[in-house]
């Protein structure tokens, strides 16, 4: 049911963890399954993503897609990172079963939420970036878990 790449990224996820003093942090949740994904970005003065880490409290497909997403955004500019859609992440993983497509959307939204946080902190606008609708970052600041 799952490709070898999905299994590999699920069993050996890359870039798990946190970045202290990250340039941007985004947390998104899927209300239906209750899964949560948090993405940390370290962005340099040229708006290039130097490092990316994640924490996912969710299903195996969510872990695999967040792992692959972190690999894809590293070294990209913030604008290039915006073009990494959930489809691109799924393709890089050689596909996901249809019932698991929504899990890959969390990865795309987590990147966007972290970029949104970075833009807000630096008072800049990133062309084409909208605040993801499942961004739950603010709720969490009040309610640590
Ligand atoms: Fe919730 Fe996969 S089932 S993210």
């Amino acid at each position: 049911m799952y490709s070898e790449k999905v299994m590999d990224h699920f069993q050996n996820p890359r870039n798990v963890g946190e970045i202290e003093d990250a340039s941007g942090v985004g947390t998104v949740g899927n209300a239906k399954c209750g899964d949560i994904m948090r993405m940390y970005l370290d962005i340099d003065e040229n708006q290039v993503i130097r490092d990316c880490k994640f924490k996912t409290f969710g299903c195996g497909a969510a872990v695999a897609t967040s792992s692959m997403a972190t690999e894809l955004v590293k070294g990209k500019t913030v604008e290039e990172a915006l073009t990494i859609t959930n489809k691109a992440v799924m393709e890089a993983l050689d596909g996901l079963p249809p019932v698991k497509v929504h899990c890959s959307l969390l990865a795309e939204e987590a990147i966007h939420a972290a970029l949104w946080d970075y833009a807000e902190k630096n008072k800049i606008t990133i062309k084409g970036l909208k605040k993801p609708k499942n961004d739950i970052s603010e709720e969490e600041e009040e309610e640590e878990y």
Side-chain angles (χ1 to χ4, degrees), residues 94-126:
D94 294 337
L96 278 177
V99 290
K100 288 285 168 185
V101 171
H102 77 274
C103 317
S104 66
L105 258 180
L106 265 190
E108 177 186 317
E109 292 198 318
I111 295 171
H112 288 192
L115 288 172
W116 183 267
D117 181 45
Y118 163 73
E120 280 204 319
K121 278 185 183 147
N122 291 281
K123 301 191 174 38
I124 56 167
T125 316
I126 301 173

Side-chain angles (χ1 to χ4, degrees), residues 79 82 125-129:
E79 289 195 1
L82 258 193
T125 316
I126 301 173
K127 215 170 135 242
L129 175 64

